[in-house]
Amino acid sequence: MIVTFYDKDFKGLQDNAALVVGNGSFSLTRRGVEMDELKCTCEAFTADIQPTFVVVKNDRGNYVYGALAGIPRLDKNNQTKITGADLKTMLKSDVLLDFSNFNAKQTSLKEFLQSVFDEWNESVNQGSFLCELIFDESVESIKWKDKDLKPHSEHLAQYDAWEDLFAPYLKYYNLFMTTKIDLVKKKVIFRIGSSMSGNDANVKLWELGIYDYGKWIANVNETQGVILNTKTNEVEKGYRWVLTSTNEFIEYDDTKSEKRDSFPIKRKIILKETDTDDEAKMTQLRNEVNMEALKTLTDYMYKENLEISNEEFLQCFETIRSGSIVDFNDIEEQKVKEIFSTTFCIYTKQRGEKKLYKTLPCGEIHYNENGIKKIQIGYRFTGLQFII
């Protein structure tokens, strides 16, 4: 593999000098709802440059991955250490948005995410370079869920575009985001697709040597917003959101006790204090705590951590149907899209019978210099870890 550096105008630096990646040093982790990681070690590079982008290509010169570049530096062994920051990190910036007149019934999820991106592109990116947000066809039909994660505000408000808007909505609506640097059209492309919308992949735990898989339990499976009136010391409780074992949300009350199937209960409270008696402000505060409680719970979705590195299993993702690819350089992106949209059906064997345990999305794709070495099913959280 080789790496090259580009400035903000997508022009190759130092005559587009290509650095050869050292054997065994290349490591890339791509994530659909979190940040990617790129690391490698190359031959010595002493030019004084401050690149914007770093692009990884294979030995045939075909695009593999693009990221924001750190400044290349020599280590004590006279080798160049290179790290790349996920292009999604650009979205970790503040934007001002007004959701006071937002109506979920009149605005699709796609239109909402596009409006957030447009504001970021105008106020943060400010024309530094071309950026585009693309939606896969599977996202077109996604509709708003009543009450859930509907943005609320009384007026123009400050939001972190990634942390407050993109990340929770991607998780809650089972979406993923990938990125690419288009060197021909000279722009950065952000793509949103739908997890578990493609083909099924059956994962039989016993065939992978996993028998004592236990019970995966989220660190938090219930959240609730609470408002404390500091004048009267009275407490008003908002919705109780519960996460089930199948990673579904329910607005919980005593009539829905049969739907709760994840124990022990691990609860997190979102507390806000106020001394106001104004009903309009109280309504706004109720909306805020209810939404924040639900957003918090999204961090614990699909927290399973199952790693698959079986060569035969991974081979099904190495071959992309030839008729679906227009540009040879898009092969890797097509492969990533296919994996992130796959539904992983986890099967266990109980008393000799095969049983569907649950369905999960892909959380991570791990690469070395030879290509994909393993995939991680579910999203990583502190807890049990299974490594094949």
Side-chain angles (χ1 to χ4, degrees), residues 135-142 170 173-177 191-199 337-343 361:
F135 295 86
D136 288 343
E137 187 176 344
S138 57
V139 183
E140 300 280 345
S141 60
I142 296 177
L170 290 175
Y173 284 93
N174 289 336
L175 305 176
F176 63 87
M177 180 184 285
R191 179 184 292 275
I192 293 180
S194 181
S195 301
M196 300 193 291
S197 63
N199 297 325
K337 175 184 172 181
E338 180 174 295
I339 296 176
F340 278 134
S341 62
T342 294
T343 301

Side-chain angles (χ1 to χ4, degrees), residues 15-181:
D15 297 323
N16 206 20
L19 301 182
V20 178
V21 177
N23 290 334
S25 74
F26 182 78
S27 173
L28 169 63
T29 302
R30 300 193 68 165
R31 300 183 176 97
V33 295
E34 300 293 345
M35 297 299 155
D36 301 348
E37 293 181 11
L38 168 67
K39 295 180 181 179
C40 62
T41 302
C42 300
E43 58 191 311
F45 183 67
T46 57
D48 184 15
I49 62 173
Q50 189 168 350
T52 302
F53 304 111
V54 58
V55 172
V56 180
K57 300 178 182 179
N58 61 23
D59 294 339
R60 290 173 292 180
N62 296 310
Y63 178 96
V64 173
Y65 184 73
L68 297 173
I71 298 176
R73 297 185 185 279
L74 290 177
D75 63 12
K76 61 182 180 180
N77 297 317
N78 200 35
Q79 292 181 311
T80 303
K81 295 287 186 180
I82 295 175
T83 59
D86 191 343
L87 294 165
K88 295 195 292 286
T89 59
M90 291 192 295
L91 300 175
K92 285 189 171 184
S93 299
D94 287 345
V95 293
L96 294 174
L97 291 165
D98 186 353
F99 295 128
S100 58
N101 296 318
F102 183 82
N103 188 327
K105 294 182 179 180
Q106 297 176 356
T107 306
S108 69
L109 179 63
K110 173 186 173 182
E111 290 171 336
F112 167 72
L113 294 175
Q114 184 67 61
S115 68
V116 174
F117 181 84
D118 290 344
E119 175 58 31
W120 168 85
N121 201 18
E122 180 179 352
S123 62
V124 180
N125 187 41
Q126 300 177 39
S128 301
F129 38 79
L130 290 177
C131 292
E132 181 181 4
L133 178 62
I134 296 175
F135 295 86
D136 288 343
E137 187 176 344
S138 57
V139 183
E140 300 280 345
S141 60
I142 296 177
K143 298 180 180 179
W144 283 100
K145 298 179 182 179
D146 292 340
K147 292 186 297 185
D148 301 0
L149 278 182
K150 179 180 176 182
H152 294 279
S153 65
E154 289 183 331
H155 44 66
L156 202 67
Q158 171 189 342
Y159 301 89
D160 181 304
W162 177 260
E163 297 292 346
D164 296 332
L165 300 171
F166 276 110
Y169 284 94
L170 290 175
K171 294 175 184 177
Y172 184 72
Y173 284 93
N174 289 336
L175 305 176
F176 63 87
M177 180 184 285
T178 61
T179 59
K180 179 184 177 181
I181 297 175

Side-chain angles (χ1 to χ4, degrees), residues 203-263:
V203 180
K204 302 172 183 177
L205 294 184
W206 65 92
E207 291 185 352
L208 298 171
I210 300 176
Y211 297 94
D212 185 18
Y213 57 90
K215 181 74 173 178
W216 288 306
I217 301 175
N219 293 337
V220 173
N221 52 32
E222 178 180 311
T223 57
Q224 185 173 29
V226 173
I227 301 173
L228 171 64
N229 190 312
T230 55
K231 279 186 177 180
T232 63
N233 205 34
E234 294 179 347
V235 169
E236 180 178 335
K237 297 180 179 179
Y239 299 134
R240 289 168 65 191
W241 299 111
V242 168
L243 183 65
T244 71
S245 65
T246 57
N247 293 289
E248 295 180 289
F249 290 103
I250 58 173
E251 182 195 333
Y252 186 82
D253 59 43
D254 293 338
T255 66
K256 300 177 181 177
S257 58
E258 75 283 353
K259 293 186 177 182
R260 185 200 289 273
D261 61 354
S262 184
F263 298 94

